[in-house]
Amino acid sequence: MTPQSTLMVVAPIEASREAELRHLLARMNSEVGVADPGNPLLPFSQFSTLHFARFVILDDATAEDLRAYGADPLPPTKSLAFLCDCDGPADHLRGELAKRAGDGLRKIFSCCLEFPADCDLEMWMEEHDKPAATAYTNWLGRTVMQVLEENDLRSALVTQLQSSTHANASPQQVWRALQAFVASEQRGGRLVLTPPSPTPWRWRIKDLLHLFGVPLLLLLVSPLLLLYLPFFLIQLRLRESKDAEIVPRADAAFVKNLASREDRILTNQFSAYGNLKPGTFRRWTLIFLLFAVNYTTRHIYNRGFLARVNTIHFARWVFLDNRKRLFFASNYDGSLESYMGDFINKVAWGLNLVFSNGVGYPKTYWLVLDGAKDEQKFKDYIRRHQLPSEVWYDATPGITAFDMERNSRIRDGIEEHAMTDAEVAEWVKLF
Amino acid sequence: MAFTQADYQDMQGLLRFGYGALTEACFLLLRIEDAAAAGLWLEGAPLATAEVQIPPPAKALQLAFTCEGLRKLRVAEETVNGFSAEFLSGMVGDENRSRRLGDIGESAPQHWQWGGPGNVPDMVAMIYARPGQLEAWKLSLEDGLKASGFVLLQCLPTTDMGGVEPFGFVDGVSQPQLDWEGRRSTSGDKLTYENLCALGEFVLGYPNEYGKNTGRPLISKQQAADLPDAEDAAGHADLGRNGTYMVLRQLEQDVRGFWRFADAQTNSDEAARLDLAEKMVGRRITGDPLLHARAQAITVGGTSADDARLNDFTYDEDRDGTMSPMGAHVRRANPRNSDFSAGTHGLWSKLVHMTGFGRTYTREDIIASTRFHRLLRRGREYGSKLTAEQRLEQAPPDAVVTGLQFACLNANIARQFEFVQNAWLMGSKFDGLNDESDPLLGNREQVAGCPVDKFSVPSAHGVRKQIQNVPRFITVRGGAYFFLPGVRALRYIARAARI
């Protein structure tokens, strides 16, 4: 099994070169916001382990909101962020990027401050990496290659099913016939189903240590946490009752720019950026919560769904600017309206847990209640904090996260030696 | 928030009635040339309200405005900006919207007969009358409008097809039931599908399914003393209250294309042809559901025995689509599910499902919470009704075009009409499907290289049948988003125009 990882290079943009940078980025696209996979600057499709990538300009349009909390806005900065979700270690991808797209990346990053022309690109990217506080992968271990191979498998099987008569065949007969078909296609080299690579032992040890270490640690400090809990709850409720909601509708031109980048393929990108509520209480609450959520995404929610939502491919929360700002990025299936609908109707509690620590969020109650359930305020809040992705790459357009899960189940059935009638009947329904 | 009694007197009748007895109707698309004159006409317009009249009226007039229309009537910009973003942008104001609604290819706005870029009407006057009484009334109204600063852009005709839509299926079988008395509690998750919907889903100024008032223009009370009060903002008058948004779309239907396709797929076997057509629609041609009646009735529908027979079902008992395919038109348009997947009962099971566990099959819980995505349909057919024989014939060169003047009312266009159209009807991945969009409404335009011209018919005993190369049967010919104001709001708008 090949674990997935993320990288995020962040560097401030040299003000005088912002226009040039935007021009460079726009040239990488085949249509507004959607990358040309083979663009000469960064030919994304040549990196076979890359699931998603994007360039975003971090520009805090809501900085002034802090004044409502009696704090001064952070100094305005514009930074370039480059994000990748990939198979295998990020170090490896960084090396490959530097080796095979070095010229293009240098051209892009040269528009940033702190980029000496003679620097070692790989090292520079590592130095400017911002690790995710929480990273979510829809399916741990599912590689780009696997997604593509399994999608080909499904397509071939669907075509096969339509071209031959299975009308009177029993599910068992259909299953056996498809297994034979796949075996012959594999022999002919028309279908490939690469077996998973062995799990790196270093990763496995680290993962096990994390799996057991975190609960152990929590258990050890739990007496302290329990003692603090009543004070925490009082502080929380005091703050929740007076924290200002800042939820005006986002500017129409701003929304139009965002929307121009959406719904071009079946999957969409989402980037959001905002300030934490000032003070240590919210900061440490969020640090703790994201640490806890990261535990669940690492060990529990890595099999096709994040709580009730199964349309998210990759997502991450990243602290920036000394943990005074939070950046959120995700890749999801369907339109933003349905994505926000899922947030509100299916996982409002989870959204509240994290984002209610952000400035201006709709009023919550005990950290998980209300908040996102105030539908229109929440939707306006989301849109206003969103950032346009200047360039966005999806290695597997047209294949939703649900498709991927279903395709893997189809493959499982093909590779299975024995299934009961009931199992086969369920499997056949996958087509 | 205490529910205040719905004010029928202040509402246009379309919110409460379909005007079924007024079988003749046409929709006049108008441009406003002279705001002051138009305002004067609007102040005296004989608007039909939602009050029950005895005897029932012989005719009815309903009025609605686009955003352009409100601006021409000199409604203050600040007030106009209080309407929803979709309404302000309009149906064709953004390419992203056209992509989401599937208005691309032949259905793209630049081909529209009305409502396309630069061709958006300011107002629609919908007129309804008893048989034989429309023409004279229409002429006199037209005269009055023309003399009052309006220009008639187009008259969208309608045809009484006797409760049947052009393909030949009984139409308008299922409608949401509006909670006029505020009986429904919207708090908490709903574990069963219900047809009773919070009034605020369809009428502005009342709480919606989230228990909140949908955004609409609020004006300080001093400036608009005779508008209704805003329930949720003290000291404010509510321009939206007792009004709603209306989505109007002219959908041309290729009736012969539909039946000839079904015929070709079934080797002209009459029963198989009808069966396939019914599977695509998701109901029998008579309007009956494809699912068997429930053993234990759930009152999803209204109170009449007919409605119970037609609507007391959900798809929980047909999760694999062997009775009604997942992709069937009416199943897409209203998947009839609750906030949690079927079988969620009690606190523990809710907790398990809430955290994403307890799924028993792959497609479980992909779609949920239908209650936030309901539409009140008020459309009318147009063109000529074909007989069953004519439907199978090649179209003569002088064939009259036929279709639906689709109209629906909703308080939140983005969450209701646009969501249903985008995620459920046009969505090529709806409910775990692949490579297919709505069998009736689909535009068959590929997205991200994925075809959308298939239709899957699951079978109880084996592999689902996938029908290939389904043609486009419906082409959009026009459309716009309108605000259908309450009576007092209309008078307010009319006065704004005269100042």
Side-chain angles (χ1 to χ4, degrees), chain B residues 285-343:
Chain B
I285 199 161
T286 54
D288 283 308
L290 294 183
L291 272 67
H292 309 297
R294 274 178 168 260
Q296 193 189 351
I298 49 158
T299 41
V300 163
T303 39
S304 78
D306 249 5
D307 202 24
R309 177 175 57 85
L310 294 172
N311 283 313
D312 278 353
F313 69 94
T314 69
Y315 296 104
D316 291 347
E317 60 200 296
D318 184 32
R319 71 169 170 97
D320 297 323
T322 53
M323 288 183 268
S324 168
M326 279 84 79
H329 171 68
V330 304
R331 187 163 177 171
R332 280 177 175 265
N334 180 6
R336 294 173 177 253
N337 47 34
S338 67
D339 293 345
F340 282 92
S341 49

Side-chain angles (χ1 to χ4, degrees), chain B residues 330-381:
Chain B
V330 304
R331 187 163 177 171
R332 280 177 175 265
N334 180 6
R336 294 173 177 253
N337 47 34
S338 67
D339 293 345
F340 282 92
S341 49
T344 310
H345 298 291
L347 196 64
W348 175 248
S349 117
K350 220 175 107 175
L351 201 67
V352 168
H353 282 100
M354 198 177 93
T355 45
F357 298 95
R359 284 197 300 168
T360 55
Y361 63 104
T362 321
R363 281 175 36 248
E364 185 171 341
D365 203 30
I366 294 185
I367 35 173
S369 297
T370 305
R371 66 190 176 112
F372 301 113
H373 313 289
R374 300 298 308 275
L375 305 172
L376 187 60
R377 291 172 300 142
R378 292 291 188 242
R380 295 262 172 152
E381 289 75 26

Side-chain angles (χ1 to χ4, degrees), chain A residues 305-316:
Chain A
F305 56 92
L306 179 55
R308 276 179 76 194
V309 179
N310 65 354
T311 53
I312 303 175
H313 294 252
F314 287 91
R316 69 176 95 167

